Each structure stands twice: as C-alpha cells, then as structure tokens.
C-alpha cells in the first residue's frame, strides 16, 4: 500500500493537476456534485471482481477514494475471467499467486489508474500516461473508439467511457492491463518438494547430515524426484516398513548414494534433453540414463528399471525438478557382513581359529569374487576332535598331517561360486572346491546335505547366510574331509625320572622308535613321519631337539630354535604336547633330544 501512496504523491508533484484540455482554465476537475465515489460506481457497474481485487490490497480502496483526481481504466468481470484463463487458474487468489503475490497485484491495479482526470473528449489520437505503477500506458482514440496498450503490447478497448465519479472518471475496459512485473522468486528445492507433497523424499534428505544444504547451495541441479508412492513401492520391494527400516537395511551411506543418483549437477528442462537416450553423471558419481521421446521423459537405473517423469519442469532457484514415479537405484556398496564377520556373529570360533592357523587364508576368502561356504559349527569341530582322538585344534592339525592339510580341509568347505539353497538343483550335484576336489551337495526339497570323500554326510542346519561376496550354509555334525596327503603319525608319551632322564612309556603308531621305559634311550626317527609327543612333565622339563653342536633345532618352551618356524616342520605346541614333522633338512641336522632346563635329560637320535 505504501508504494501506491508514494507514487500518488510523486505523480502529483511531477504532473501537477492533469488536464486533457489545452485550455488552462480547465486545468482543475470541476465536480458537478452528487456523483458516486469509485466504489459505488464499480458496484453499480457490476465490477465485482475489480472490487475484490482492490479489497485484497490492504488500504488501497481508501487511498483511491481519498485522492483529489484519478482516471481509472476499470476491467469488467469478463476481463478478469480472461486473465484467469490466460494464467490457467480458476480464482482470484490463484491469479494473485500466479502473478507473484499481493505486491504484484497492487502494481497491476495501480497500472489501471492515472493520477489525473482524462475524459474521452479530451483524449488525443495517441497519448502516453504514467500510471500509479510508475509505468506508461498508451491511449489511442480513433473514430470514437478508445484503446489502451499495456506494457506487454496487449490492447484493451473502452466499453463504457466517462463514468463520472466524485474525484475523477472511470472508463470500463474489456481486458486487464498488464505492467512489467518482477519475476516471482522461484522456490528452492525443499520448498518445491513441500509444495508437491514429496514428504518421504524430504525425510530421506533430512536423514543425511548436511545434504539439504548441499543441494540448496549447488550452483545448478536437475532433480528427478520420486513421489511418496514411488518410495512406498521401494519399501514393499525391499520388505521394509518405513524409511527407518530402509536405512537399517542399506545404511546411511547407501541412502546418500541413492539420493545423489537422482541429482544431475546441471540444469536440464525437458525440452533441453536430446531426443533418445542419454547418460548423465549424477552426484553419486554413477551414470543415469535419461530418455526423451517427444514430450515423454523416462529414467533408467543401473538395474535396468525404467520410471516415467510424471510432472516435468518444476523450476527451482538453482535448477529444475522432474517428478518421477519410481526410485532409481545405483550400484550400492555392500551392507552385508564379510565371511569373518558372519562367522563371528554365528559364534563359529573354532572355524575362525582354523582359518587363522593357515597363513593368508582369511584374506584369500575375503578377496574372493564369489564363494559358497559350508561352515562347521564348534560342535562339528568337537566331533572331529573326538573322531581323531585329540583334544585341541592344534592336536587335530597334527593328526591330519599339518597346516597344509588343514588348508586343504578348509578349502574343501568352499565352492568358488555363489549358490543359495534355492539355486541348487534337486538331487545330488558335484561341485569343485577350493581344495581342487569335488564335494557332493544334495538338495531334497528344502533340505540340503553335503557328502565328503569318506562318504560322511552332514545336513545344513542354517542356510543362506548372505555375505558380501557370497553365502554361508552352516553344518553342525562334522567337518568335511577331502583326500589328504598323509604322512605316518606316531604318538609318544614321554615321562621323566626326576631331573635325570626322560623315558618313553607309550608309543602309538607303527614305528619302533625306542625301548619303552628306558632312561635316556636312543630314538630312531623316520623322515616324513609326524611325531606327536606328550611330554608329561613339560612345565618343569621342556623338551627340545639339538644338533651335534648343541644348537636348538626345535624347543617346547618357545626358545629360539633353527626349525621352530619352518612351515614344513610345522612345530605345534599345545600345553604338554609338542608335534613336528621330521623333514629331510631337520633329519640331517638332528643329533639328540634334551631337556632345556636339565642337560642330563638327554638321549641320542638316529634317522631312518
């Protein structure tokens, strides 16, 4: 309202009192008396829409009534109806919104008012008048027909001239005159999404710290914005209830990737898109395929799913929004556990210990492109210990012939491909494993069993534990055994006679190593044999092998020794038990056994 009042004052100061006559005696408007005011005249003429428009601008009616002289070009109701149709709206409030708000409505109405009296008889063939909107209209008179040209070059015709009012004159016109209006400020992305009721999209953006501001601050963006229904379809497909569960399923980082995949860092209105399919790099760093076929636009994601633009070209302050009927999905980082994490979560501690015992196996499995793992439980390993009549994993490793054979056993549980239970063919199928040997997998309906090279069969008790590079099926009754490279294994119980001598009280195996129960007897060892010694007094009398010079070759107390870390010798220490394989190199070096604490406890060794 202040703008009209200021302009009235400026116009009167600059023009003085307007006259359409060249006669200075007629410079002042002579009110003949008993005339209606502007509002009364408009009511009489049925200009109800004009009155509603004036009333929408606070104080404008009173300002116009209080002015000394005005000429009003007053649009009919039909003129306003034409304006509604031109702006594709149905009501005056919608028209006000379409032209940019009440401030612009005030400018439009002021553009219909000249701050002086201009009767039709005094008009020249063509005259320019500055209106209260501080913009010019051009008034022409030709053979009694009066037309007015607005700022856009459109013309209105005076339908009823010279309706006198108490402070001037009204000319009724058949169109609404339009001034130059400032462009209405565009909404930002958030405001546009709110107006379009894209509530889930806004919640998703809000879940990523700082993403909203990043998008608002971006220099130029094109946003393919999914509807709430589109998000609902995604939730249904992923079998989650709401956005929170979606985040739990795919993770916040992947949600950010999904949202970034909907944003191209450039402005592309539908008409700007090339005909046909084009790839655009998104904020997610991945390419989105956008296809225009005439006026139709669609988007295709990395999974090949295609969705349509249902509302194109929603201009925002830093770009454009196209509303789409689906959520486009990029390639996502795995939110699945790796094999180690899945085994930890399932409590497969013995399996993890076995994997750790094979140098580099854990990383080999993590780096594999695709694997299916038949993972034994702790109970399965316990059954294996019982079958081999040993008490610990280290003893089991010794019993099966060392770490190399352990690697073979573990590899026999892994197929280098992904096979969920439902993917397996009905019946028995042989699959080559990482051990290079075939494992028989049998599916009977929903039951899956595995059979090893010994004919032992174990059932899968927990199927389809998905991991980032494959799947785990848990087996419970036993450990699968491949064909192993065997070496003879000899078990010996080594006791002590005080601190003066060792003696062997028991031998298990085919070798006649020494005379039983003879102090510091001579031992005869065979190359290639695995020896498992239970040194009953190991805590006080730790066992070792030496060469002729007295250098330690292996030592039960972990002392520095030449073959202690030799992979082929494979020294394993578990409490009182020390096991090792007599390799050719060790056989060439060994001369005697000894207690590392009491040197008198010693005997000679010969080699076969």
């Amino acid at each position: 309202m202040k703008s009209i009042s200021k302009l009235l004052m400026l116009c009167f100061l600059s023009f003085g009192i307007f006259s359409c006559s060249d006669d200075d005696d007629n410079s002042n408007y002579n009110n003949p008396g008993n005339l209606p005011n502007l509002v009364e005249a408009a009511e009489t003429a049925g200009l109800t829409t004009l009155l509603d428009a004036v009333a929408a601008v606070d104080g404008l009616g009173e300002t116009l009534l209080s002015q000394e002289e005005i000429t009003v070009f007053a649009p009919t109701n039909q003129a306003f109806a034409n304006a509604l149709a031109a702006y594709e709206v149905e009501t005056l409030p919608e028209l006000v919104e379409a032209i940019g708000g009440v401030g612009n409505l005030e400018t439009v109405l002021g553009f219909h008012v000249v701050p002086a009296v201009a009767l039709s008889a005094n008009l020249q063939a063509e005259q320019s008048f500055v209106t209260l909107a501080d913009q010019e209209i051009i008034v022409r008179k030709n053979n009694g027909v009066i037309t007015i040209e607005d700022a856009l070059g459109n013309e209105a015709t005076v339908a009823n001239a010279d309706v006198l009012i108490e402070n001037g004159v009204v000319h009724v016109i058949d169109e609404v005159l339009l001034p130059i209006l400032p462009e209405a400020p565009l909404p930002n992305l958030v405001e546009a999404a709110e107006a379009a009721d894209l509530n889930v999209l806004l919640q998703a953006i809000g879940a990523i710290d700082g993403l909203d501001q990043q998008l608002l601050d971006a220099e130029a963006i094109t946003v393919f914005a999914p509807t709430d229904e589109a998000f609902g379809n995604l939730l249904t497909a992923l079998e989650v209830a709401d956005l929170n569960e979606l985040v739990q399923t795919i993770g916040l980082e992947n949600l950010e990737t999904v949202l970034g995949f909907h944003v191209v860092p450039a402005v592309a209105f539908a008409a700007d898109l090339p005909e046909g399919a084009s790839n655009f790099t998104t904020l997610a760093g991945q390419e989105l395929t956008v296809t225009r076929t005439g006026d139709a636009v669609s988007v295709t994601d990395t999974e090949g799913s295609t969705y349509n633009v249902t509302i194109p070209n929603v201009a925002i302050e830093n770009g454009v929004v196209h509303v789409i009927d689906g959520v486009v999905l990029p390639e996502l980082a795995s939110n699945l556990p790796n094999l180690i994490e899945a085994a930890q979560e399932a409590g497969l501690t013995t399996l993890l210990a076995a994997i750790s015992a094979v140098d580099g196996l854990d990383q080999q499995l993590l780096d594999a492109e695709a694997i299916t793992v038949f993972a034994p439980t702790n109970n399965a390993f316990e059954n294996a210990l019982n079958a081999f009549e040993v008490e610990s994993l280290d003893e089991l490793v010794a019993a099966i012939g060392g770490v190399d054979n352990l690697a073979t056993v573990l590899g026999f549980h892994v197929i280098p491909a992904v096979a969920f239970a439902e993917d397996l063919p009905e019946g028995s199928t042989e699959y080559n494993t990482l051990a290079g040997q075939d494992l028989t997998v049998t599916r009977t309906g929903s039951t899956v069993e595995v059979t090893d090279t010994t004919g032992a069969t174990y059932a899968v008790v927990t199927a389809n534990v998905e991991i980032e590079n494959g799947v785990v099926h848990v087996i419970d009754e036993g450990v699968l055994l491949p064909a192993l490279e065997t070496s003879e294994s000899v078990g010996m119980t080594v006791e002590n006679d005080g601190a003066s001598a060792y003696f062997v009280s028991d031998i298990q195996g085919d070798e006649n190593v020494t005379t039983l129960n003879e102090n510091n007897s001579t031992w005869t060892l065979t190359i290639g044999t695995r020896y498992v010694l239970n040194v009953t007094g190991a805590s006080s009398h730790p066992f070792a092998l030496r060469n002729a010079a007295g250098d330690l070759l292996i030592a039960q107390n972990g002392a520095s020794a030449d073959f202690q870390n030799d992979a082929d010798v494979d020294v394993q220490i578990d409490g009182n038990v020390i096991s090792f394989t007599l390799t050719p190199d060790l056989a060439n070096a060994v001369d005697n056994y000894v207690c590392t604490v009491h040197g008198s406890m010693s005997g000679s060794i010969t080699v076969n």
Side-chain angles (χ1 to χ4, degrees):
M1 222 0 272
K2 292 181 180 178
S3 61
I4 291 290
S5 300
K6 288 180 179 178
L7 283 167
L8 279 167
M9 183 176 294
L10 288 170
C11 288
F12 279 117
L13 288 173
S14 59
F15 293 116
I17 305 298
F18 175 82
S19 173
C20 294
S21 171
D22 293 332
D23 187 351
D24 290 342
D25 292 337
N26 294 325
S27 61
N28 292 320
Y29 171 60
N30 296 316
N31 185 342
N34 297 320
L35 292 174
N37 61 29
L38 173 60
V39 174
E40 293 166 343
E43 288 172 343
T44 299
L47 306 179
T48 55
T49 309
L50 174 62
L51 289 169
D52 290 342
V54 171
V57 180
D58 187 38
L60 178 58
E62 291 79 359
T63 298
L64 295 174
L65 292 176
S66 67
Q67 299 311 304
E68 186 174 346
E69 293 186 349
I70 55 174
T71 294
V72 180
F73 295 94
T76 63
N77 288 356
Q78 183 59 48
F80 275 101
N82 294 344
L84 296 179
Y87 278 90
E88 298 181 354
V89 294
E90 296 182 357
T91 65
L92 180 63
E94 290 179 0
L95 177 62
V96 172
E97 183 178 354
I99 65 174
V102 173
N104 280 349
L105 175 63
E106 183 177 359
T107 300
V108 170
L109 295 174
F111 192 60
H112 290 75
V113 181
V114 175
V117 177
L119 298 173
S120 62
N122 302 119
L123 294 173
Q124 299 174 14
E126 183 173 313
Q127 291 174 272
S128 296
F129 297 105
V130 178
T131 66
L132 293 186
D134 200 25
Q135 298 183 46
E136 288 187 349
I137 57 172
I138 299 173
V139 180
R140 298 183 179 92
K141 185 170 70 171
N142 184 14
N143 295 325
V145 177
I146 301 171
T147 59
I148 305 95
E149 182 180 327
D150 66 16
L152 303 184
N154 302 315
E155 282 195 346
T157 301
V158 173
N160 186 12
D162 298 329
V163 179
L164 298 179
I165 57 176
E166 60 184 13
N167 62 338
V169 63
V170 174
H171 304 299
V172 180
I173 58 177
D174 63 355
E175 297 291 346
V176 175
L177 303 173
L178 292 177
I180 300 297
L181 295 175
E183 290 188 9
L186 293 172
N188 61 32
L189 173 61
V190 173
E191 293 165 344
E194 288 172 343
D197 291 326
L198 305 180
N199 302 305
V200 183
L201 174 61
L202 287 169
Q203 291 170 17
I205 291 173
I208 307 298
D209 187 39
L211 180 58
D212 52 355
Q213 199 59 50
Q214 177 188 349
L215 295 174
L216 294 176
D217 292 343
E219 184 176 345
I221 54 174
T222 296
V223 181
F224 295 94
T227 62
D228 285 359
E229 183 179 359
F231 273 102
N233 293 338
L234 176 65
L235 298 179
T236 300
L238 296 180
E239 299 181 352
V240 295
D242 53 28
L243 182 64
N244 289 331
E245 286 193 16
L246 176 63
V247 172
Q248 291 173 5
T249 300
I250 69 173
L252 275 177
E253 288 186 6
N254 277 337
L255 177 62
E256 184 172 4
T257 301
V258 169
L259 295 174
F261 192 59
H262 289 75
V263 182
V264 175
V267 179
F269 285 82
D272 301 330
L273 296 169
E275 187 76 9
S278 302
N279 291 330
F280 294 92
T281 301
T282 65
L283 290 187
Q286 301 181 41
E287 288 192 343
L288 176 68
T289 300
V290 182
T291 303
R292 182 171 74 86
T293 307
D295 294 333
V297 178
S298 62
V299 286
T300 303
D301 64 18
T302 58
E303 296 186 351
S305 299
T306 298
Y307 303 104
N308 296 316
V309 171
T310 57
I311 303 175
N313 301 333
V314 180
I316 57 176
E317 61 185 13
N318 61 339
V320 63
V321 174
H322 305 295
V323 179
I324 57 177
D325 59 4
V327 178
V328 288
L329 294 178
E331 293 182 2
L332 298 177
S334 174
N335 198 42
L336 296 169
N338 61 33
L339 172 61
I340 303 302
E341 293 165 343
Q344 289 170 340
E345 186 174 345
L348 306 180
T349 55
T350 310
L351 173 61
L352 288 169
I355 292 173
S356 297
V358 180
D359 187 40
L361 179 58
D362 52 354
Q363 200 59 50
Q364 178 188 349
L365 295 174
L366 294 176
D367 292 341
E369 184 175 344
I371 54 174
T372 296
V373 181
F374 294 94
T377 62
N378 290 355
N379 181 65
F381 273 99
E382 189 65 33
N383 291 342
L385 296 181
N386 292 336
F388 280 87
E389 298 181 354
V390 294
E391 296 184 355
S392 67
L393 179 62
D394 288 338
E395 291 182 12
L396 178 61
V397 172
I400 64 174
V403 171
D404 287 346
N405 277 348
L406 174 63
T408 301
V409 169
L410 295 174
F412 191 60
H413 290 75
V414 182
I415 297 170
V418 178
F420 287 84
E422 58 272 19
D423 300 329
L424 297 169
E426 189 77 10
S428 295
T429 307
E430 290 187 346
Y431 293 93
N432 193 255
T433 65
L434 291 187
Q437 301 181 41
D438 286 345
L439 175 68
T440 301
V441 182
T442 303
R443 183 169 74 87
T444 307
S446 60
T447 300
V448 177
E449 296 177 321
V450 284
T451 303
D452 67 15
T453 59
T454 71
T457 297
Y458 305 112
V460 170
V461 294
T462 304
N464 298 337
V465 179
E466 191 171 5
I467 57 176
E468 62 184 14
N469 62 338
V471 63
V472 174
H473 304 297
V474 179
I475 56 176
D476 186 47
E477 292 300 318
V479 174
L480 300 168
L481 293 178
L484 296 176
E485 292 184 8
T486 59
S487 61
E488 294 293 332
S489 178
V490 173
M492 300 167 57
T493 301
V494 181
E495 300 187 47
N496 58 286
D497 185 1
S500 62
Y502 285 124
F503 64 90
V504 176
S505 62
D506 183 53
I507 299 174
Q508 296 179 351
D510 295 335
E511 289 188 22
N512 183 18
V513 176
T514 190
T515 303
L516 296 180
N517 302 313
E518 178 181 312
N519 286 353
N520 293 338
S521 61
T522 297
W523 295 3
T524 300
L525 305 182
T526 301
I527 294 174
T529 299
R530 181 79 181 171
Y531 293 93
V532 181
L533 310 183
N534 181 11
V535 183
T536 59
S539 59
S540 300
H541 308 288
F543 181 88
L545 298 182
R546 295 187 303 188
N547 62 18
D551 301 321
L552 294 180
L553 303 179
I554 66 171
Q556 192 170 19
N557 62 359
S560 176
D562 293 348
F563 288 84
Q564 193 77 11
N565 297 312
D566 186 290
D568 293 327
V569 174
D570 189 24
V571 175
Q572 300 289 329
I573 300 170
D574 182 22
N576 289 343
V577 176
I578 179 171
S579 60
F580 62 92
T581 299
L582 187 66
T583 65
D585 288 340
L586 179 58
N588 287 333
V590 69
D591 179 78
N592 61 81
Y593 63 88
V594 69
C595 170
T596 56
V597 176
H598 305 99
S600 61
M601 300 174 63
S602 178
S604 298
I605 292 178
T606 61
V607 175
N608 286 330

